[in-house]
Amino acid sequence: MKLQRKNKKVITLLEPLVLKVEGITFTIPKGFQTDGASIPEIFGWFGKPFDKDTLEPAIVHDMLYQYKFLSRATADYLFLDLMKIYEVKFIKRWAYFIVVRLL
């Protein structure tokens, strides 16, 4: 995956990102911009927006929010499922999930 950092808070995909997960293909177009995982700064010790283990699930989640392909709740639960598939540690994935559900 080729990325370009636009600034401290946003990255841009320099090529399409194609993820095939359990029979579903997600294609995020070149030029898509994301802020990664939405982590309040106070929890910066816990994880960063562009951590490798959560980045691709966060990009899919952002795309689903931006284009409104699914309901917000469905997108959030898919984010949780993707983090599990990407082997994000249990506590980290549930903390991220709770944050997106509360925001």
Side-chain angles (χ1 to χ4, degrees), residues 31 39 81:
I39 308 300
D81 289 344

Side-chain angles (χ1 to χ4, degrees), residues 47-59:
K48 304 289 184 218
F50 305 117
D51 283 350
K52 288 184 181 186
D53 61 342
T54 56
L55 183 57
E56 289 186 4
I59 291 171

Side-chain angles (χ1 to χ4, degrees), residues 19-102:
L19 301 175
K20 294 180 183 180
V21 180
E22 297 183 0
I24 300 171
T25 300
F26 298 96
T27 303
I28 297 88
K30 174 183 175 181
F32 183 79
Q33 295 185 340
T34 180
D35 62 354
S38 300
I39 308 300
E41 287 187 27
I42 194 168
F43 296 113
W45 55 270
F46 191 69
K48 304 289 184 218
F50 305 117
D51 283 350
K52 288 184 181 186
D53 61 342
T54 56
L55 183 57
E56 289 186 4
I59 291 171
V60 171
H61 185 252
D62 284 357
M63 181 202 60
L64 294 171
Y65 264 35
Q66 182 175 337
Y67 293 112
K68 298 179 172 84
F69 289 129
L70 303 170
S71 70
R72 180 175 174 224
T74 302
D76 293 347
Y77 279 98
L78 182 58
F79 179 50
L80 179 64
D81 289 344
L82 286 171
M83 287 190 291
K84 184 174 183 180
I85 291 166
Y86 276 71
E87 300 179 351
V88 175
K89 292 181 181 178
F90 180 86
I91 293 173
K92 185 175 182 179
R93 76 173 173 257
W94 276 95
Y96 281 34
F97 174 72
I98 290 167
V99 168
V100 298
R101 291 303 303 145
L102 293 175

